């Protein structure tokens, strides 16, 4: 299982609406994420709009591609686009900046 961490920048003026959207994610979107290999998916939001995402997956590129083929993802990305003005015409799921893991406690402990 691969761990993936990424960042995006949410428009600080729209944080409450962003939180509300994620408090009630569409059931078909939730199912699509689970069905396409997004496991233990979490989002963390800083007061200035920095969004940090984390997930586990067998193959991140394959999980992204599988989601991109779903109809619900196209609708969700369109609904989320206004929260990410810095991305311009790119969809939010195309604008993720994936971070390099540089430390993992259990790996260094040998566990």
């Amino acid at each position: 299982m691969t761990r993936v961490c990424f960042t995006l920048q949410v428009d600080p003026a729209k944080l409450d609406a962003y939180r509300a959207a994620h408090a009630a994610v569409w059931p078909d979107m939730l199912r699509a994420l689970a069905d396409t290999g997004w496991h233990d998916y979490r989002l963390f939001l800083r007061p200035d709009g920095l969004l940090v995402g984390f997930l586990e997956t067998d193959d991140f590129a394959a999980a992204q591609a599988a989601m991109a083929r779903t109809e619900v993802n196209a609708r969700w990305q369109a609904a989320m686009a206004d929260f990410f003005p810095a991305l311009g015409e790119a969809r939010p799921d195309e604008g993720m900046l994936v971070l390099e893991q540089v430390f993992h406690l259990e790996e260094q402990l040998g566990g």
Side-chain angles (χ1 to χ4, degrees):
M1 191 71 63
T2 300
R3 292 175 189 91
V4 178
C5 184
F6 65 87
T7 63
L8 283 163
Q9 182 63 46
V10 177
D11 182 345
K14 298 179 180 178
L15 296 181
D16 289 339
Y18 186 82
R19 284 186 190 96
H22 284 81
V25 174
W26 309 331
D28 50 344
M29 183 63 174
L30 297 173
R31 279 190 306 279
L33 286 163
D35 291 348
T36 58
W38 297 62
H39 306 290
D40 199 18
Y41 185 23
R42 302 161 190 251
L43 295 173
F44 302 88
L45 186 60
R46 203 166 68 178
D48 65 357
L50 177 66
L51 181 72
V52 176
F54 171 85
L55 66 126
E56 293 180 333
T57 187
D58 291 327
D59 180 333
F60 187 48
Q64 284 183 299
M67 273 306 292
R69 290 189 299 270
T70 66
E71 178 275 333
V72 69
N73 188 62
R75 287 188 291 119
W76 183 262
Q77 297 306 317
M80 295 295 107
D82 287 344
F83 293 110
F84 302 96
L87 295 178
E89 296 299 313
R91 295 185 334 221
D93 64 345
E94 298 170 330
M96 294 185 265
L97 175 61
V98 176
L99 304 178
E100 174 188 3
Q101 179 178 301
V102 296
F103 174 77
H104 183 230
L105 177 62
E106 283 75 12
E107 285 178 4
Q108 290 200 18
L109 289 173

